[in-house]
Amino acid sequence: MRFKKFILLLNLLSMNSFAITEEQLARGVLSRENIIDQISQFNNYSYHQFIKNMPIYAYKITNNDINNIPEIILKNLGRIDNTTYSTDYFKKNIGSVIALQLRDNEFDFYIIDKEKFNELYIQISIHDVMEKNKKLTNGLINSKIGYLFSDNNSNLVGILKIEPVNMIKMSEVGFNIKEEITIESPWNEQTKPAGMDAYLVYESDKKSYYMVNTEESGLPIGYMPKN
């Protein structure tokens, strides 16, 4: 456990100057350094390993013209955890995809980092997703993006994450479940709603954590335990 703490402190010391703004600080957004410092104070947490529970749909990012993405997708991008994406981040992820999921019948759309997409995901056919994830299929077909299915849009694809993900439960490292918490993430910021737990995932290349919110079951959205 001392080794874990040592690694966390090394990451904190090796970071470049953080990009969090004065406006974000005024709103109480937790910086990358805040998160790492908080985790380093705990010795009794453990990593929880999850894998994606089902294939999902995604929409390809083919060029840097945001207007090529359907308006309904852009309007709901990052809505679940109040994630915001900069134009630069969008451009850096040309060739990746926007994940299209549902949480409690609400759109859960987010950009998958291009490097992570190439490394951790495989593309599968739409028909495979229809067969293996009927709940998501029915939910999206009967939603405002249902027309993408009837139009046979070539940018609508199926994807599956094949790599296990190590996560830290926020409540196990001192974050209050009752409070709304907003953190600085690799793409900008994310928010955990009050009354819900969430998980943190470390991205070593960015020396930063991102957040995965939970379903009513307590599991991270779109994941199931590896074992």
Side-chain angles (χ1 to χ4, degrees):
M1 192 58 67
R2 288 181 181 176
F3 178 73
K4 264 200 296 194
K5 181 180 284 191
F6 176 69
I7 293 299
L8 286 166
L9 290 174
L10 276 181
N11 286 329
L12 178 60
L13 292 171
S14 65
M15 279 185 174
N16 298 324
S17 343
F18 60 85
I20 197 166
T21 65
E22 290 185 7
E23 185 272 335
Q24 287 175 308
L25 287 172
R27 289 191 286 110
V29 177
L30 299 178
S31 70
R32 298 180 295 174
E33 289 85 348
N34 293 147
I35 299 297
I36 289 178
D37 182 60
Q38 174 78 10
I39 294 172
S40 72
Q41 297 177 43
F42 286 79
N43 293 320
N44 60 346
Y45 73 89
S46 58
Y47 287 105
H48 302 267
Q49 202 166 57
F50 296 95
I51 56 175
K52 282 290 187 180
N53 57 7
M54 288 184 183
I56 62 169
Y57 296 98
Y59 197 88
K60 291 181 179 180
I61 303 173
T62 57
N63 57 53
N64 61 7
D65 185 357
I66 296 178
N67 293 322
N68 286 333
I69 306 295
E71 182 180 358
I72 188 64
I73 293 179
L74 292 176
K75 183 178 178 182
N76 289 280
L77 191 59
R79 175 181 175 185
I80 283 291
D81 50 11
N82 294 320
T83 302
T84 54
Y85 298 99
S86 66
T87 301
D88 285 343
Y89 187 79
F90 189 95
K91 291 179 179 179
K92 286 177 183 177
N93 286 286
I94 296 169
S96 186
V97 297
I98 297 171
L100 307 177
Q101 297 193 97
L102 292 172
R103 176 188 171 189
D104 300 328
N105 295 319
E106 291 188 38
F107 290 138
D108 182 16
F109 299 164
Y110 55 90
I111 296 174
I112 298 176
D113 179 86
K114 185 177 179 179
E115 290 184 9
K116 298 300 179 185
F117 178 67
N118 292 334
E119 179 184 354
L120 305 179
Y121 290 79
I122 58 172
Q123 185 171 319
I124 61 176
S125 74
I126 291 292
H127 295 293
D128 282 341
V129 187
M130 289 180 173
E131 189 175 299
K132 296 176 182 176
N133 198 340
K134 291 182 170 59
K135 182 178 180 181
L136 177 61
T137 299
N138 292 334
L140 292 179
I141 286 177
N142 292 310
S143 73
K144 291 181 179 179
I145 68 166
Y147 72 91
L148 295 177
F149 293 84
S150 57
D151 288 351
N152 293 317
N153 191 302
S154 61
N155 288 322
L156 182 67
V157 296
I159 61 171
L160 177 66
K161 192 170 189 177
I162 55 176
E163 185 78 11
V165 180
N166 290 317
M167 302 188 187
I168 298 172
K169 187 179 265 190
M170 291 185 70
S171 62
E172 292 180 357
V173 287
F175 292 100
N176 193 333
I177 292 177
K178 295 180 181 179
E179 295 179 358
E180 179 181 283
I181 297 172
T182 300
I183 70 167
E184 178 190 16
S185 70
W187 38 85
N188 202 335
E189 59 184 59
Q190 293 177 282
T191 299
K192 176 193 82 64
M196 299 289 286
D197 210 339
Y199 287 84
L200 295 170
V201 179
Y202 187 68
E203 290 207 331
S204 57
D205 57 332
K206 296 181 175 60
K207 296 183 173 62
S208 181
Y209 284 90
Y210 67 86
M211 179 189 292
V212 181
N213 275 302
T214 56
E215 302 172 342
E216 290 185 4
S217 66
L219 290 174
I221 297 172
Y223 288 86
M224 67 179 185
K226 182 184 177 185
N227 299 315

